[in-house]
Amino acid sequence: MTTALVLGDQLTRQAGPLAAEHDVDPDRVLMVESRAFATRRRYHSQKLTLLFAAMRNFRDALRDDGWTVRYERADTFRQGFERFFADHPDETLVAMEPASHGAGRGLRDAVSTAGGDLELVANETFLCSPEAFDEWHAGAYDDADTYRQEEFYRWMRRRTGFLLTDDGEPEGGSWNYDEQNRETPPADYESPPLPTFDYGEHVGEVREWVEEAVETWGSDEEFGWPVRRGQALDALADFCANRLADFGPYQDAMVGGEWALDHSLLSAAINLGLLHPREVVEAAVETYREREDVPLNSVEGFVRQLLGWREFVRHVYRREMPDLADANQLDHERDLPPLYRDAGATDAACLSEAVGHVEERGYAHHIERLMLLSNFALTYGTDPRELTEWFHRSFVDGFHWVTVPNVVGMGVYASDAFATKPYASSAAYVDRMSDYCDDCPYDPDATTGDDACPFNSLYWDFLDHHEERFRHNHRMAAVYHHWDERDEDERDAVRERAAEVRRAARDGSL
Ligand code: SF4
């Protein structure tokens, strides 16, 4: 006899053992809520509330539809399995292969120690299987360690047919419309209101338990994430109706007081299994087909996030683990500064705003993650493992398979698997793409002096420190040309200011 084991990030009946077409097709389900998981890290409170409330709602929905669900609240997964096998000694559990490295082996060990068997089947919550990716990669590159997202994305577009003409060419003539997606909204722009959800009992119950029993960080007052599939579908429909049109042009913008702008906010629901990426892409493309006011650059940019980047990082992570998690090619060893734990601990308006979004929501959008939170940690010289751990604990959509490649590969260039140069930047980028600098005590145009923007000296000092590695990278030749134009006294002043900034960040007085 077979029982489906439903993990907390596999809450789906669109794929895997619970999907109607699957040949295992058990009518019994086991779910285990592990307290050890909740206390293993000091997670953001909203992350735990979301995960456990979504699990309990998924259980209820299954029971309402006639499934037999055994739901164990246990100290550990192993204890949950022991209780289950004590009552059902002849059962075999079947689950989808977890996306995070080592999780499948850990589950198998826990089930086996509890006296049972676990069969792991293909993880169908993605659009590209490991076999398909590996076959594409073998045909695309001679080098096993070379990966380029843009090439993978074009292959996925051709393979799935999304946004292709009848001749198999990209719709509109270009694969990528990023040059149209770098606008900032006008001063009187009002972001569309976000959908709200009626949570029923589970969100309140879990919140109480988390508050009483688990040490967390962040606030849960603004909790607003979908915790049921119906709510996730409503959130998807709301995004397509109200925010997809402006998503493209404003996707890289940062605006004071606006944590969501026109972002979809669907990543957590997708990563938990409440939505399948295929239906999300289909809904966005269908909206584009039906509505003249939804531009191609908006839908293409959104589709690329899911069809390209999400699938790409999942597979590069799969192939490059376990080394990827410990990669540190720039030999950065500093501790994460205290401002990442308290938005009020810094006067730097942009960092305070981005950390504030994480504190209040367990979320910041991709440019805040890359160009503020990661960029500062990169140029400050943070140990990549510390930043990865912070992302993993803090973001409602962060799982190991997501945070390791995004932080290690993209955010702080600790591995060159994902990018050919670091995403380091001075204040110029933040000043161009946000209104944060207008209300900041630091001067975005100054590199030295007490009120000089911390990003500027850190940026140049980072380039100076890693000159041997980066000077001959043709994509960075222009910035070294600017550095060469400074005389030695000016360079020393930059180095001194960077040291001051690092001291202040470390002491919590930046
Ligand atoms: S001046 Fe510097 S620290 Fe202040 S908001 Fe601009 S980029 Fe951020």
Side-chain angles (χ1 to χ4, degrees), residues 77-134:
F77 279 106
R78 182 176 145 185
Q79 185 188 58
F81 296 143
E82 281 169 352
R83 290 180 190 163
F84 175 77
F85 287 114
D87 294 338
H88 304 280
D90 299 324
E91 292 282 299
T92 295
L93 295 175
V94 60
M96 284 187 277
E97 181 83 49
S100 290
H101 179 82
R105 194 180 57 239
L107 271 180
R108 263 215 190 90
D109 289 348
V111 169
S112 156
T113 310
D117 288 319
L118 171 67
E119 181 193 350
L120 291 174
V121 297
N123 189 327
E124 297 171 347
T125 62
F126 294 87
L127 289 161
C128 179
S129 70
E131 297 74 25
F133 183 95
D134 292 348

Side-chain angles (χ1 to χ4, degrees), residues 368-444:
E368 294 174 315
R369 297 187 200 203
L370 182 64
M371 301 310 288
L372 293 177
L373 300 167
S374 296
N375 182 24
F376 187 82
L378 166 68
T379 54
Y380 174 84
T382 310
D383 183 332
R385 285 160 295 210
E386 285 221 9
L387 188 67
T388 305
E389 175 68 16
W390 182 78
F391 267 78
H392 192 161
R393 292 193 292 110
S394 305
F395 284 82
V396 290
D397 54 11
F399 293 87
H400 199 259
W401 70 268
V402 181
T403 50
V404 167
N406 275 297
V407 174
V408 171
M410 188 80 168
V412 295
Y413 197 62
S415 155
D416 58 7
F418 293 82
T420 52
K421 77 180 207 26
Y423 277 80
S425 135
S426 66
Y429 181 88
V430 182
D431 202 14
R432 190 169 66 248
M433 294 308 302
S434 82
D435 60 3
Y436 295 152
C437 302
D438 301 345
D439 294 321
C440 182
Y442 294 110
D443 179 355

Side-chain angles (χ1 to χ4, degrees), residues 144-172:
D145 300 329
T146 299
Y147 306 96
R148 293 292 165 255
Q149 191 268 159
E150 186 64 28
E151 288 162 17
F152 171 73
Y153 169 59
R154 291 180 188 190
W155 176 76
M156 283 292 282
R157 287 270 295 277
R158 287 205 166 97
R159 186 166 176 259
T160 57
F162 288 119
L163 297 176
L164 284 193
T165 65
D166 292 343
D167 301 332
E169 292 304 312
E171 206 155 313

